[in-house]
Amino acid sequence: MKPRVVIVCPATPASNNGNWRTAWRWQRLLQGVAAVRTVQQWPDAQAGQDDVLLALHARKSAPSIAAWHAQHGARGLGVALTGTDIYPDITRDAVAMASLEMAASLVVLQEQALQALPEIHRAKTRVIFQSCGQRQPLAKTTHHLRVLMVGHLREEKNPAMLWRAVRAIAPDAGILIDHIGDALDPALAREAKATARDCPHYRWLQGLSHQATLQRIQRAHLLVHTSRSEGGAIVISEAIRSGTPVLATRIDGNVGLLGADYGGLIGPDDDRALVAKLLQCRREQLAGQAGLLLDWRSQCQRRSALFEPATERAALLRWVKALRA
């Protein structure tokens, strides 16, 4: 008999955030091998039939985690640490820490997150990389360097680092920067609008559909990711699987996806380094040199197999089987 799996994700489809996209993808990957559904909170009307609960975010899903534990104990209870529940909740949030204690097993989304966990929980933790399909790069213009940032406007994504870099780059430098993401913070939205008004080489496109975002990733010469805190951003996986190199801040959530020796890493909040790298990429483009972009693309290609959908599906199924046992 197929295992009956319920995924708990407090986020809604309208939020289009990382947790919701993970829940949607996991449900799709498990279909056919499990009877699976996604809920915002557990228990619901079908709760009596569930064998396994997979909760996304230790703090935000805490009521459902506690409810399952009250009925079943740890058996069948898996918790995925997806973002702010690991950076920094597990070091200071009692609710998140209690969720870790109750779970039979934990999942993190990138390699570095294991070291962020309290040592007592590492033995019951596994890494499952977020996957996406392979996509071919689309034609890239030679007239300018097309840079893309994808991330909703909130402090953890540190869009201010990008805006400072934009203002330090001359409009005629041949670097065009597009920014995709919904305005989750009104103050940051005002700053995005002000930057777009003052800097013709920057566009805030607000929120776009997933398909439209993927196409822009495929067309970009470079994806920039400036987060100061990150559980493991799916957009990095999407860039890698689209043949688009990444320039990212050296934080655990990025290093755990790109690798500790990845060349396209800069200091958190170091907008000067961001500007320098972008200008170097543009100079090399004008000179017809492969340079940094080719180096970073080659390094990304070597990590690409980690983000195969079949790999994530197999890892999820192993997790579910272990929890059911």
Side-chain angles (χ1 to χ4, degrees):
M1 182 182 295
K2 295 178 182 178
R4 295 178 294 268
V5 177
V6 58
I7 299 170
V8 174
C9 176
T12 65
S15 71
N16 195 31
N17 68 11
N19 284 336
W20 181 83
R21 298 214 65 84
T22 297
W24 174 85
R25 190 180 62 259
W26 282 7
Q27 179 166 338
R28 180 170 53 85
L29 289 171
L30 287 171
Q31 282 173 349
V33 296
V36 58
R37 73 187 195 283
T38 299
V39 300
Q40 286 183 266
Q41 191 163 342
W42 191 93
D44 62 353
Q46 302 177 54
Q49 304 174 17
D50 295 323
D51 299 314
V52 170
L53 183 144
L54 307 180
L56 297 177
H57 205 285
R59 173 172 49 82
K60 294 177 182 178
S61 293
S64 299
I65 294 167
W68 178 280
H69 193 268
Q71 291 192 29
H72 303 287
R75 184 174 180 177
L77 178 55
V79 175
L81 295 110
T82 59
T84 53
D85 53 346
I86 191 165
Y87 304 112
D89 282 359
I90 56 170
T91 62
R92 67 186 189 193
D93 188 281
V95 173
M97 289 188 285
S99 293
L100 270 61
E101 293 282 353
M102 286 185 274
S105 179
L106 304 172
V107 154
V108 292
L109 303 180
Q110 42 82 16
E111 298 160 337
Q112 294 291 311
L114 287 170
Q115 302 308 311
L117 286 170
E119 189 171 356
I120 193 172
H121 295 311
R122 293 176 192 170
K124 69 175 182 179
T125 304
R126 60 186 71 199
V127 178
I128 299 181
F129 290 101
Q130 300 180 91
S131 69
C132 55
Q134 187 78 45
R135 300 175 71 88
Q136 292 299 315
L138 296 178
K140 302 181 191 294
T141 180
T142 58
H143 298 297
H144 53 260
L145 185 73
R146 184 174 294 282
V147 178
L148 180 67
M149 179 159 157
V150 179
H152 295 321
L153 271 57
R154 56 193 184 102
E155 284 297 333
E156 293 87 350
K157 298 294 184 182
N158 197 14
M161 176 179 170
L162 178 71
W163 296 327
R164 292 194 303 271
V166 168
R167 291 182 179 276
I169 295 171
D172 60 356
I175 300 173
L176 301 185
I177 301 171
D178 285 340
H179 189 177
I180 298 171
D182 287 323
L184 303 188
D185 182 322
L188 294 178
R190 289 192 293 272
E191 185 66 26
K193 291 177 181 177
T195 304
R197 182 189 64 237
D198 298 340
C199 306
H201 53 300
Y202 168 83
R203 296 189 300 177
W204 175 39
L205 304 177
Q206 302 192 41
L208 298 181
S209 70
H210 189 222
Q211 184 64 26
T213 300
L214 287 173
Q215 289 175 350
R216 289 185 179 273
I217 291 172
Q218 289 171 275
R219 290 195 185 280
H221 293 99
L222 182 66
L223 179 87
V224 166
H225 197 70
T226 60
S227 285
R228 57 167 58 100
S229 176
E230 194 73 66
I234 184 64
V235 70
I236 290 180
S237 307
E238 290 168 340
I240 290 172
R241 299 283 288 166
S242 298
T244 300
V246 179
L247 178 58
T249 44
R250 187 181 288 277
I251 60 170
D252 282 358
N254 295 338
V255 174
L257 295 175
L258 292 162
D261 61 348
Y262 182 67
L265 294 170
I266 55 178
D269 225 32
D270 191 349
D271 49 285
R272 291 185 178 182
L274 175 56
V275 170
K277 295 295 187 185
L278 294 180
L279 291 174
Q280 182 177 345
C281 289
R282 176 56 177 162
R283 287 195 303 271
E284 291 171 346
Q285 183 188 43
L286 286 170
Q289 299 171 351
L292 292 179
L293 292 178
L294 180 59
D295 289 345
W296 297 342
R297 186 181 301 117
S298 298
Q299 288 183 279
C300 286
Q301 286 173 345
R302 292 196 289 272
R303 301 280 289 182
S304 181
L306 293 172
F307 312 111
E308 287 273 5
T311 302
E312 185 179 25
R313 184 174 185 267
L316 280 172
L317 187 55
R318 287 193 297 270
W319 190 30
V320 167
K321 286 181 177 179
L323 288 168
R324 194 183 187 196

